[in-house]
Amino acid sequence: MTDLIQSAERPTRAYVLHPDLKAADTRRLPELRLAEAVSLAVALPNLDVVGHEVVRIAKPHAGHLFGSGKVEELKARFEVLEVDLVLVDGPVSPVQQRNLEKEWGVKLLDRTGLILEIFADRARTREGVLQVELAALSYQRTRLVRAWTHLERQRGGFGFVGGPGETQIEADRRAIDEQVIRIKRQLAKVVKTRELHRAARRKVPFPIVALVGYTNAGKSTLFNRMTGADVLAKDMLFATLDPTMRGITLPSGRKVILSDTVGFISDLPHELVAAFRATLEEVLEADLILHVRDISHPETEEQAEDVGEILESLGVSEDVPLIEVWNKIDALSPTSREALLVADARRSEVQAVSALTGEGFEALLGAIETRLGEERHDDTLHLPFSAGRERAWLHDQNVVRGETETKDGWTIEVNWSVSQRHRYRAL
């Protein structure tokens, strides 16, 4: 990605700023947004956060984001603290980035750049690495006005009469475009391989239950508790990036496939939406979604709204059943826990658990069993003889309950989930 991280002998000293714009959305408290930004910074290895603060801004300065007085004040503070890197929790234009880096004599990353760094450090699968690299190139293409020393116009033509050639920025942009084409070709091959794997999975007649939620809500801990797996589970944002799937057996003996996914976050950079594809395709094909919430977090409602918006933008069907899993109830006082559960009118759609202690797991597994059972439907399909592929798919999914051959084709009685019906229609 970048040369952000310094040598192992001396960690990079970082300072985190959260610009609080008066005209901005006040749905979330700036102090809590700052705390989340600090957690993002801590998620990077070899980074030492030496300070952080909320900066109140009446109106963003076009050239420096902050006012001249605040820029000077921060410069003095950075010099005392020997800051190497400034992280701004919000969008910073290329011009503002260049000017602030020149003024402060440090490197600067905005929120998008920081999340890109984390993804670059965490991606493990071939597709994940390629998607993050592609997102990084798209981001870098817009930052080519940074404080480079070689952006003078190159000479073009021949001899002494040649006109001005392309600028170095144009050459760099062209080089990035060539890399983007190369990565997209590699991704196309990886996607074909993954499609074969997913096609094979569809033949397994087990429903898919997908875990989604805000980052650090405890999905991986819950996944480990339910499956006995050993997926990385840490008190860290984006501890899990790549998809993980395991089979589990419900109390009735019914088998399901549980899928752990990457955590969501507010203001997710659009460059990174594609990087979520590997995990989110399991959500798009899920028979049941478990929305895991950190119910002990002071902004749990706001986080839930962010998750809902991302699911909607991804095209997750409203027909797919969803259970809210209120995790980390062990972090609540008994009084708060009781009041929360009694007061909430959606109790039938909520399962309160502690992934750490296992409290509430029997009820959760029972709710999964019930919802999967409720959401299967009987349908009658009339297929012509030319629809042999569709007929074979239905049999592979083990949803056929009866079949009659007619003079024009087949009449097939099926019992299937909403997700299976959507997948069938997409054939």
Side-chain angles (χ1 to χ4, degrees):
M1 272 288 297
T2 71
D3 56 348
L4 168 66
I5 305 302
Q6 297 186 352
S7 65
E9 291 79 16
R10 183 187 184 282
T12 299
R13 297 173 64 83
Y15 198 97
V16 183
L17 301 173
H18 174 74
D20 180 25
L21 303 176
K22 290 184 178 179
D25 179 19
T26 57
R27 184 165 58 99
R28 304 184 66 182
L29 295 175
E31 290 76 17
L32 293 176
R33 293 295 299 268
L34 174 64
E36 181 178 275
V38 171
S39 296
L40 284 171
V42 171
L44 274 175
N46 205 32
L47 200 67
D48 182 16
V49 178
V50 297
H52 51 81
E53 66 178 281
V54 174
V55 181
R56 315 288 178 180
I57 301 177
K59 183 179 180 182
H61 189 281
H64 291 84
L65 182 61
F66 309 108
S68 57
K70 191 64 180 180
V71 170
E72 287 298 322
E73 176 190 332
L74 290 170
K75 180 180 180 179
R77 188 170 305 150
F78 297 159
E79 289 175 351
V80 171
L81 295 174
E82 298 181 349
V83 171
D84 306 303
L85 172 70
V86 174
L87 303 172
V88 179
D89 182 38
V92 179
S93 72
V95 172
Q96 291 169 342
Q97 181 176 354
R98 178 195 62 191
N99 292 340
L100 287 174
E101 286 184 338
K102 183 178 179 180
E103 188 72 29
W104 290 337
V106 300
K107 294 178 183 178
L108 185 144
L109 283 179
D110 64 1
R111 184 180 178 89
T112 298
L114 174 59
I115 296 177
L116 278 168
E117 290 284 351
I118 296 173
F119 271 56
D121 179 67
R122 301 287 169 75
R124 293 292 179 267
T125 63
R126 177 61 175 160
E127 183 182 16
V129 171
L130 289 173
Q131 290 285 18
V132 173
E133 187 176 350
L134 184 61
L137 288 171
S138 300
Y139 174 73
Q140 290 168 2
R141 195 180 188 278
T142 67
R143 323 301 287 187
L144 292 181
V145 296
R146 292 182 64 177
W148 292 18
T149 59
H150 63 289
L151 298 186
E152 71 278 359
R153 184 170 291 276
Q154 297 176 332
R155 188 170 184 81
F158 300 93
F160 297 99
V161 295
E166 65 180 352
T167 63
Q168 183 63 44
I169 287 179
E170 290 165 347
D172 291 329
R173 187 169 289 131
R174 179 163 47 81
I176 286 177
D177 290 341
E178 291 172 355
Q179 291 184 60
V180 167
I181 293 173
R182 174 181 56 81
I183 292 174
K184 285 184 176 179
R185 287 173 179 166
Q186 292 177 297
L187 270 172
K189 296 178 181 178
V190 175
V191 169
K192 285 182 180 179
T193 301
R194 182 163 44 80
E195 277 296 330
L196 293 174
H197 293 163
R198 291 174 62 225
R201 269 205 310 275
R202 291 191 191 107
K203 296 181 180 180
V204 179
F206 302 137
I208 295 176
V209 179
L211 300 176
V212 303
Y214 207 80
T215 184
N216 211 31
K219 294 183 306 303
S220 294
T221 304
L222 184 69
F223 182 85
N224 290 343
R225 170 73 66 168
M226 294 178 72
T227 65
D230 191 23
V231 174
L232 174 64
K234 299 179 67 177
D235 185 17
M236 178 186 293
L237 300 188
F238 296 122
T240 305
L241 277 190
D242 295 314
T244 306
M245 305 185 75
R246 295 286 189 278
I248 65 171
T249 302
L250 298 177
S252 66
R254 185 179 187 182
K255 293 183 178 180
V256 301
I257 296 175
L258 194 65
S259 173
D260 190 17
T261 65
V262 66
F264 298 160
I265 197 168
S266 63
D267 302 325
L268 180 69
H270 66 86
E271 291 94 344
L272 280 173
V273 172
F276 275 76
R277 184 184 302 161
T279 56
L280 294 181
E281 281 188 347
E282 306 304 338
V283 178
L284 294 174
E285 295 203 353
D287 296 277
L288 174 65
I289 294 175
L290 301 185
H291 176 188
V292 184
R293 292 175 52 180
D294 177 359
I295 202 63
S296 67
H297 195 280
E299 290 191 330
T300 182
E301 291 294 337
E302 289 78 8
Q303 291 181 350
E305 289 180 22
D306 289 329
V307 171
E309 291 171 2
I310 294 175
L311 288 176
E312 183 179 351
S313 68
L314 289 167
V316 175
S317 173
E318 293 183 357
D319 294 333
V320 179
L322 183 146
I323 296 176
E324 280 197 6
V325 180
W326 289 1
N327 190 27
K328 304 187 182 182
I329 59 171
D330 55 292
L332 299 174
S333 67
T335 303
S336 299
R337 181 190 315 177
E338 185 66 24
L340 194 66
L341 298 180
V342 170
D344 199 287
R346 302 166 300 171
R347 188 67 188 91
S348 60
E349 301 175 5
V350 170
Q351 294 296 318
V353 305
S354 168
L356 195 62
T357 67
E359 181 181 355
F361 263 64
E362 289 186 10
L364 173 60
L365 293 175
I368 293 173
E369 180 83 64
T370 302
R371 294 303 297 272
L372 287 174
E374 288 177 351
E375 298 299 329
R376 299 187 73 84
H377 307 278
D378 290 322
D379 280 316
T380 301
L381 305 177
H382 302 282
L383 274 63
F385 287 121
S386 60
R389 186 168 71 94
E390 288 82 354
R391 175 173 173 263
W393 185 89
L394 292 170
H395 282 280
D396 285 339
Q397 290 290 305
N398 198 31
V399 299
V400 176
R401 296 295 177 264
E403 180 180 79
T404 304
E405 185 173 329
T406 66
K407 65 177 182 178
D408 299 321
W410 300 280
T411 297
I412 302 178
E413 304 292 334
V414 298
N415 177 263
W416 56 6
S417 67
V418 173
S419 175
Q420 287 172 320
R421 183 170 61 192
H422 287 323
R423 296 203 297 271
Y424 170 77
R425 290 174 178 173
L427 291 175

